[in-house]
Amino acid sequence: MYADAASPQAAFQRVRALAAHDMQRVDALIRARLASGVVLINQIAEHIIAGGGKRLRPMLHVLAAGAAGYRGEAHIKLAAIIEFIHTSTLLHDDVVDESDLRRGRKTANALWGNAASVLVGDFLYSRSFQLMVELDDMRVMRILADTTNTIAEGEVLQLLNIGNADVDEAAYLAVIERKTAVLFAAAAELGGLLGGLPETQVAALRRYGLELGYAFQIADDLLDYVSDAATLGKNIGDDLAEGKPTLPLIYALQGADAGQARALRQAIEHGGLDALDQIVAAIRDSGALERTHARARSHADAARASIETLPPSACRDALIALADYSVQRDH
């Protein structure tokens, strides 16, 4: 129904269309619950919420709830909570990374400063927990509280890895599991819980989300070397400039000759883009891009396989299409 290898974007648009009614309600709730008596909070929150993101995580939750046969209303509030948590991490990420561009627009910290961005990120975290309490479901609160704590651990782990050219694949995966994949996993798992699925199928949805998160982030790190600011919405080489040893760099180091390895290590340890063309050439010559894509594809395939036992439905088909889209997109 959704497969369209020639046009992953078209397939993604069909997925969005399926979730559109619920996502309109999610967006309305997000805007309503962003409201604050503090003008600066409204300005910054509106800037980042209106930034044109895909709303992938809340949409994943809506689709997972649909695949689980849920027919209530709690998924709307849960989807908003998930987006608040994600948005707060973006605000904090941009401060830590000293980023001035996201999705092709100026970041909040570039416009209003680091202090304001961090504090509004905290506001969004606390707003998400207010919404959790309204749901009054200890299982939901436990999953989301654990997820938020794990994301914070991932931020610290990534900080420790910056400038470290000896980071290996396992250490890289430990970071992206905590920073990215666990929120995907929670979004999918909570959909299964709402639908009252058997425990094995709830676990399958969590596995799906985890694998999807891996695929999405690995593909995102790959795009840093095959895209540009206009397409991806950030500057090419940003991860390199920040000294982040992502998977393309890790693989390139494994396959580089002595001269290329020295250049790659220098770039990771000291940041900067003085030798960007040379570094990108070394990454491409080493076969790292193909290896990275294959690794992302393996996680997308694992995500698809995870939900084969769910009852057939349009929402399950859409989840399968999201797995394919995660590694076929160009932004």
Side-chain angles (χ1 to χ4, degrees), residues 37-52:
V38 180
V39 174
L40 183 59
I41 290 176
N42 293 330
Q43 290 174 332
I44 295 177
E46 174 62 25
H47 174 78
I48 193 165
I49 290 293

Side-chain angles (χ1 to χ4, degrees), residues 30-290:
I30 285 171
R31 292 186 182 281
R33 300 307 289 264
L34 274 177
S36 167
V38 180
V39 174
L40 183 59
I41 290 176
N42 293 330
Q43 290 174 332
I44 295 177
E46 174 62 25
H47 174 78
I48 193 165
I49 290 293
K54 300 180 185 70
R55 299 278 201 275
L56 189 59
R57 292 152 187 85
M59 186 170 68
L60 168 59
H61 172 68
V62 163
L63 291 170
Y70 181 64
R71 296 292 181 266
E73 295 293 320
H75 65 307
I76 302 300
K77 193 168 286 187
L78 266 172
I81 291 167
I82 289 162
E83 183 67 3
F84 279 156
I85 292 171
H86 174 58
T87 304
S88 64
T89 67
L90 298 186
L91 283 164
H92 290 162
D93 274 354
D94 287 340
V95 171
V96 172
D97 296 340
E98 300 179 3
S99 299
D100 60 6
L101 192 67
R102 180 177 288 278
R103 298 168 184 156
R105 303 167 78 234
K106 283 285 189 182
T107 56
N109 51 298
L111 293 171
W112 287 281
N114 289 342
S117 293
V118 169
L119 293 172
V120 173
D122 292 344
F123 169 82
L124 290 174
Y125 266 136
S126 59
R127 183 66 93 208
S128 72
F129 277 82
Q130 287 178 320
L131 285 165
M132 282 180 222
V133 171
E134 291 175 18
L135 288 171
D136 195 25
D137 187 325
M138 186 56 70
R139 299 171 307 165
V140 168
M141 286 190 280
R142 182 177 293 111
I143 289 168
L144 287 169
D146 289 346
T147 298
T148 305
N149 187 255
T150 300
I151 291 170
E153 288 181 336
E155 294 283 359
V156 177
L157 270 182
Q158 179 170 270
L159 186 65
L160 292 173
N161 288 346
I162 288 176
N164 181 2
D166 294 317
V167 169
D168 61 13
E169 186 173 354
Y172 162 81
L173 291 172
V175 169
I176 67 170
E177 177 179 343
R178 289 165 172 81
K179 271 201 66 182
T180 301
V182 293
L183 189 55
F184 280 79
E189 179 183 12
L190 288 167
L193 274 180
L194 288 184
L197 290 180
E199 196 171 309
T200 55
Q201 291 188 338
V202 173
L205 273 167
R206 180 173 181 83
R207 171 54 59 184
Y208 164 86
L210 197 68
E211 296 289 354
L212 180 68
Y214 278 127
F216 187 87
Q217 187 59 57
I218 293 170
D220 205 54
D221 291 341
L222 176 63
L223 286 170
D224 198 45
Y225 296 99
V226 299
S227 189
D228 56 38
T231 303
L232 184 58
K234 67 175 184 176
N235 299 312
I236 187 169
D238 269 3
D239 289 342
L240 183 62
E242 294 159 11
K244 290 181 182 176
T246 57
L247 200 56
L249 284 168
I250 292 167
Y251 283 159
L253 273 168
Q254 293 172 1
D257 61 34
Q260 290 174 327
R262 280 194 299 272
L264 287 164
R265 292 184 70 89
Q266 174 80 9
I268 294 169
E269 290 169 358
H270 300 287
L273 299 174
D274 295 341
L276 178 60
D277 290 344
Q278 177 188 356
I279 297 302
V280 171
I283 292 170
R284 290 173 177 168
D285 290 347
S286 70
L289 299 182
E290 292 79 8

